[in-house]
């Protein structure tokens, strides 16, 4: 099956899943009620549709963000949510909440993006000097770096008595998504889509600095564009639904193993699989302990790890 | 012509290149030789603007390094670096296709496709076209890298130890290809190579470097002698004159 066929097959599957997602939750909704019952229709518009859309956007854009970051740092074991970008975003929101409590959500988002970008730059500066012969050092340093920023956020929040807010930013889930409170994510969707324009550039940057320059690429500029893209996506996710780990790590790795690293070809697959897996995990989280919910990040950790292990132990094949 | 004037370069206070002034004439096959650590790779990477210049200037014809656009230069000059990057999960054909990037910016035409196919066939890797690079042997990968440079079709081609990992047939094929590029297509090829006999047999010009300086240059017959081996490589090997040029007994 070619990449293109896989994509279209996946897209059909995703559409069906999204439809399913609209009808699963504490309140029973069936497609028939929808036509007859005004209240049901409102539930759908106010809660179920926003939740499904948010899940799709976060899943796809976080996977794209992970794929881009892995190309830029030339290491498959990093993702924005664990290497400081997500924590930077949380720090940004915290700073706004402390200094400008009445700031608009747009201001919050801007500051979160800027601080996320700054901490991503910090990460890049740190790993720049690290030996390429030890690829596991990079994610390790990322974890420590992200952990430090995360700890700083928790400490400041504790001092300022804001711990309950922190919980929301640090542990992402979609149950709180309602109409009017998630729309900023469409900006993330836009950024995610725009990155496709630079897919070739990101793929070339993944070949290394020397090869990029040889091919006439403005290396630093492409790296900066990539940094901005995944920082904005992370910041928007953190400010609206909170941090969702693993998506950016697992999905690009699975796609890379199955279809290679030519982002022009594989980025749509990454987005699709990110959206699909996240949606499946969110649906699972809703039904496993019905009527209670398991946060999407927890479910994804388990499902993603299982999928990844399966992939590691089966024979690799690439398109 | 590559014109290098008063080029010096230091890393952390240590002088790596010392006041190099050199013209490499247009079209021809030049071998750059010298002991480990002489500064050959540094020299090539400065010419290919992989590192910013510190002092001195480099011109490739009318293009000045550090001033001209990266894209213009990428169509004029290509480099195969010494240290191979870790292999990406790209099909060989995809990698070689990136060689056309300076021209098509990611929108390949059918002409680009033909050039890529040609590069694959010249390097003898047509049958590997769909294989992922991370499944290839070292030599096959090296051929794929060189095919990308070939597809880039620049007037000036810099290669840092391109013979690494190649078997005897691969070595000979590549040397013939490079000769051919210089002779038939008027390209300027500069290759770093450690095997002086190869330099002597295939190159029409040799440049010898030692401790960041250019110490000898000229036709192989003029440059390769006992004194060169003694002064530059600090070793006493015999040099025989043969019908095929000077032969160093290693
Ligand atoms: N990043 C660096 N930091 C410190 N010293 C460096 C660095 N890169 C190169 N050098 C030094 O510069 C000198 C020239 O290195 P270069 O790689 O240019 O040598 P070379 O002639 O290509 O050697 P070889 O034949 O081994 O490839 C060496 O002494 C090397 O140790
Ligand atoms: Mg070298």
């Amino acid at each position: 099956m070619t990449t293109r066929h896989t994509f279209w097959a996946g897209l059909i599957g995703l559409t069906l899943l999204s439809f399913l997602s609209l009808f699963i939750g504490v309140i029973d909704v069936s497609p028939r009620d929808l036509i007859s019952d005004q209240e049901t229709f409102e539930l759908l518009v106010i809660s179920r549709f926003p939740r499904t859309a948010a899940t799709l956007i976060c899943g796809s854009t976080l996977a794209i963000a992970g794929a881009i970051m892995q190309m830029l740092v030339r290491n498959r074991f990093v993702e924005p949510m664990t290497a400081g970008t997500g924590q930077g975003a949380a720090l940004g929101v915290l700073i706004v909440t402390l200094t400008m409590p009445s700031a608009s959500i747009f201001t919050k988002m801007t500051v979160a993006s800027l601080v996320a970008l700054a901490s991503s730059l910090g990460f890049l500066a740190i790993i720049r000097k690290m030996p390429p012969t030890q690829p596991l050092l990079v994610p390790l340093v990322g974890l420590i770096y992200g952990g430090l920023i995360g700890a700083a956020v928790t400490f400041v929040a504790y001092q300022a008595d804001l711990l309950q807010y922190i919980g929301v930013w640090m542990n992402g889930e979609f149950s709180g998504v309602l109409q009017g409170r998630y729309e900023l994510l469409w900006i993330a969707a836009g950024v995610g889509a725009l990155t496709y324009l630079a897919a070739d550039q990101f793929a070339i940057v993944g070949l290394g600095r020397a090869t990029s320059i040889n091919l006439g690429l403005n290396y630093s500029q492409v790296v900066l564009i990539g940094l901005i893209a995944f920082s904005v996506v992370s910041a928007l996710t953190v400010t609206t639904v909170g941090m969702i780990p693993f998506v950016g790590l697992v999905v690009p790795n699975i796609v890379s193993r199955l279809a290679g690293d030519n982002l022009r070809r594989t980025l749509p697959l990454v987005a699709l699989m990110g959206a699909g897996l996240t949606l499946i995990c969110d649906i699972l989280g809703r039904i496993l302990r019905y009527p209670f919910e398991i946060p999407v990040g927890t479910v994804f950790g388990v499902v993603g790890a299982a999928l990844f292990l399966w992939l590691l132990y089966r024979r690799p094949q690439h398109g | 012509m590559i014109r290098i004037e008063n080029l010096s370069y230091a890393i952390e206070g240590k002088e790596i290149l010392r006041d190099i002034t050199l013209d490499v004439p247009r079209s021809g096959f030049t071998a750059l030789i010298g002991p480990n650590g002489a500064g050959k790779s540094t020299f090539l990477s400065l010419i290919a603007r992989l590192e910013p210049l510190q002092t001195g200037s480099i011109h490739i014809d009318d293009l000045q390094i550090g001033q001209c656009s990266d894209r213009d230069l990428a169509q004029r000059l290509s480099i195969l670096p010494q240290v191979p990057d870790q292999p990406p999960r790209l099909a060989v054909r995809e990698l070689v296709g990136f060689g056309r990037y300076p021209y098509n910016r990611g929108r390949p035409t059918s002409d680009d496709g033909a050039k890529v196919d040609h590069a694959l066939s010249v390097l003898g890797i047509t049958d590997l076209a769909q294989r992922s690079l991370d499944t290839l042997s070292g030599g096959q990968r090296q051929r794929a890298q060189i095919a990308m440079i070939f597809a880039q079709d620049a007037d000036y081609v810099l290669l840092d130890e391109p013979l690494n990992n190649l078997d005897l047939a691969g070595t000979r094929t590549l040397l013939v290809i490079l000769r051919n590029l210089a002779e038939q297509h008027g390209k300027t090829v500069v290759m770093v190579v450690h095997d002086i006999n190869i330099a002597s047999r295939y190159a029409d010009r040799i440049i010898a470097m030692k401790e960041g300086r250019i110490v000898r240059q000229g036709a192989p017959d003029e440059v390769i002698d006992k004194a060169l081996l003694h002064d530059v490589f600090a070793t006493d090997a015999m040099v025989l004159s043969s019908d095929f040029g000077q032969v160093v007994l290693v």
Side-chain angles (χ1 to χ4, degrees):
Chain A
M1 207 156 52
T2 66
T3 312
R4 188 161 300 210
H5 290 138
T6 318
F7 179 78
W8 289 113
L11 196 62
I12 293 168
L14 187 63
T15 313
L16 293 177
L17 262 181
S18 312
F19 200 66
L20 187 67
S21 158
L22 293 178
F23 297 101
I24 293 177
V26 175
I27 302 172
D28 255 331
V29 176
S30 78
R32 196 176 330 140
D33 300 340
L34 206 57
I35 311 164
S36 54
D37 187 1
Q38 176 67 20
E39 239 171 77
T40 313
F41 186 73
E42 274 172 14
L43 172 75
L44 209 75
V45 171
I46 294 171
S47 160
R48 296 286 168 78
F49 175 76
R51 177 174 190 158
T52 306
T55 312
L56 292 175
I57 295 174
C58 287
S60 55
T61 55
L62 287 178
I64 292 175
I68 292 176
M69 184 174 194
Q70 286 165 20
M71 280 289 154
L72 299 192
V73 305
R74 308 195 64 214
N75 189 300
R76 293 187 197 287
F77 309 109
V78 293
E79 62 138 335
M81 287 298 160
T82 53
T85 312
Q87 290 80 0
L91 183 64
V93 196
L94 183 64
I95 293 173
V96 180
T97 312
L98 283 175
T99 56
M100 303 175 273
S102 57
S104 69
I105 179 83
F106 196 78
T107 314
K108 249 185 198 169
M109 180 204 96
T110 310
V111 176
S113 298
L114 288 174
V115 181
L117 180 63
S119 60
S120 315
L121 280 168
F123 178 62
L124 233 66
I126 293 175
I127 62 164
R128 182 177 227 145
K129 292 273 172 204
M130 293 209 306
T133 44
Q134 301 200 0
L136 284 176
L137 266 184
V138 173
L140 213 60
V141 167
L143 278 177
I144 297 169
Y145 181 72
L148 275 176
I149 301 179
V153 171
T154 312
F155 178 75
V156 175
Y158 176 75
Q159 296 284 321
D161 211 10
L162 284 174
L163 272 185
Q164 77 277 20
Y165 280 91
I166 296 283
V168 177
W169 303 324
M170 297 298 230
N171 309 302
E173 47 146 353
F174 295 107
S175 61
V177 173
L178 290 175
Q179 190 186 28
R181 284 181 30 197
Y182 85 104
E183 281 74 5
L184 279 177
L185 281 179
W186 288 104
I187 300 179
V191 172
L194 279 180
T195 58
Y196 190 61
L197 295 179
D200 282 317
Q201 278 93 327
F202 293 136
I204 292 176
V205 160
L207 295 175
R209 185 171 168 275
T211 307
S212 309
I213 297 178
N214 172 50
L215 294 177
L217 212 65
N218 188 335
Y219 183 78
S220 333
Q221 188 187 325
V222 176
V223 169
L224 189 64
I225 290 174
L227 273 175
I228 292 175
F230 74 69
S231 299
V232 169
V233 164
S234 307
L236 286 167
T237 307
V238 171
T239 40
T240 42
V241 299
M243 241 187 273
I244 302 173
F246 302 121
V247 183
L249 184 68
V250 173
V251 174
N253 270 284
I254 293 178
V255 173
S256 166
R257 277 187 90 82
L258 293 175
D261 284 335
N262 190 351
L263 291 188
R264 157 81 56 145
R265 206 160 42 71
T266 60
L267 216 46
L269 274 185
V270 169
L272 192 70
M273 182 174 235
L277 269 186
T278 312
L279 190 57
I280 289 175
C281 291
D282 186 53
I283 292 176
L284 280 179
R286 276 183 261 170
I287 55 182
L288 281 180
R289 284 183 64 221
Y290 185 85
F292 304 104
E293 288 204 11
I294 309 173
V296 64
T298 312
V299 183
F300 201 101
V302 177
V303 174
L307 256 178
F308 197 58
L309 283 177
W310 167 75
L311 206 80
L312 275 181
Y313 285 100
R314 81 193 256 289
R315 232 171 60 78
Q317 47 164 258
H318 328 268
Chain B
M1 178 164 75
I2 305 179
R3 167 157 285 176
I4 295 138
E5 286 167 307
N6 304 108
L7 182 72
S8 294
Y9 191 79
I11 300 177
E12 286 160 8
K14 187 170 156 261
E15 280 212 283
I16 311 289
L17 299 178
R18 304 162 201 251
D19 198 24
I20 295 179
T21 296
L22 173 78
D23 285 347
V24 180
R26 213 191 143 90
S27 118
F29 188 0
T30 301
L32 184 57
I33 62 171
N36 294 133
K40 305 179 295 295
S41 298
T42 310
F43 188 43
L44 283 200
S45 50
L46 289 181
I47 299 177
R49 44 95 171 78
L50 299 186
E51 303 297 334
L53 294 183
Q54 293 171 350
T55 35
S57 68
I58 301 174
H59 286 83
I60 314 292
D61 298 334
D62 53 325
L63 301 178
Q64 182 172 3
I65 301 296
Q67 312 285 321
C68 63
S69 99
D70 279 327
R71 190 181 174 188
D72 290 346
L73 198 57
Q75 299 181 4
R76 188 78 61 87
L77 175 133
S78 59
I79 181 165
L80 178 79
Q82 177 176 15
V83 186
D85 292 314
Q86 78 194 50
R89 289 194 183 122
L90 288 181
V92 170
R93 200 168 196 290
E94 289 174 330
L95 179 82
V96 178
F98 280 135
R100 299 304 298 165
Y101 183 82
Y103 304 89
N104 63 34
R105 303 254 111 187
R107 317 226 167 290
T109 63
S110 59
D111 182 45
D112 291 321
K115 288 210 158 79
V116 169
D117 287 333
H118 181 57
L120 290 170
S121 96
V122 168
L123 270 298
I125 48 174
T126 304
D127 53 332
L128 300 178
Q130 299 307 325
R131 287 272 298 278
S132 178
L133 283 158
D134 63 343
T135 68
L136 298 185
S137 77
Q140 292 170 330
R141 208 177 286 157
Q142 181 77 352
R143 288 183 193 221
Q145 295 281 355
I146 296 169
M148 181 183 104
I149 299 294
F150 191 91
Q152 195 177 340
D153 194 23
D155 291 339
Y156 294 84
V157 183
L158 312 179
L159 306 128
D160 200 345
E161 303 193 26
L163 306 177
N164 283 351
N165 291 322
L166 296 185
D167 60 20
L168 184 65
T171 304
R172 284 179 51 108
T173 311
L174 179 59
L175 288 165
V176 171
I177 292 168
L178 296 177
R179 261 242 67 85
N180 196 20
L181 279 178
E183 271 172 10
Q184 316 281 322
H185 300 276
K187 310 262 181 202
T188 311
V189 180
V190 180
M191 170 177 82
V192 175
V193 60
H194 282 294
D195 188 329
I196 297 182
N197 289 328
I198 286 180
S200 146
R201 184 150 152 65
Y202 288 90
D204 35 47
R205 234 172 97 82
I206 290 185
I207 297 173
M209 277 185 82
K210 183 191 179 186
E211 291 170 4
R213 290 199 178 81
I214 301 227
V215 286
R216 298 279 288 272
Q217 56 171 309
D221 283 350
E222 300 162 15
V223 173
I224 297 170
D225 52 26
K226 238 175 134 17
L228 173 92
L229 298 179
H230 185 85
D231 299 344
V232 177
F233 292 95
T235 179
D236 291 309
M238 295 251 288
V239 180
L240 300 180
S241 293
S242 78
D243 296 346
F244 306 109
Q246 311 286 85
V247 178
V248 177
L249 298 180
V250 181

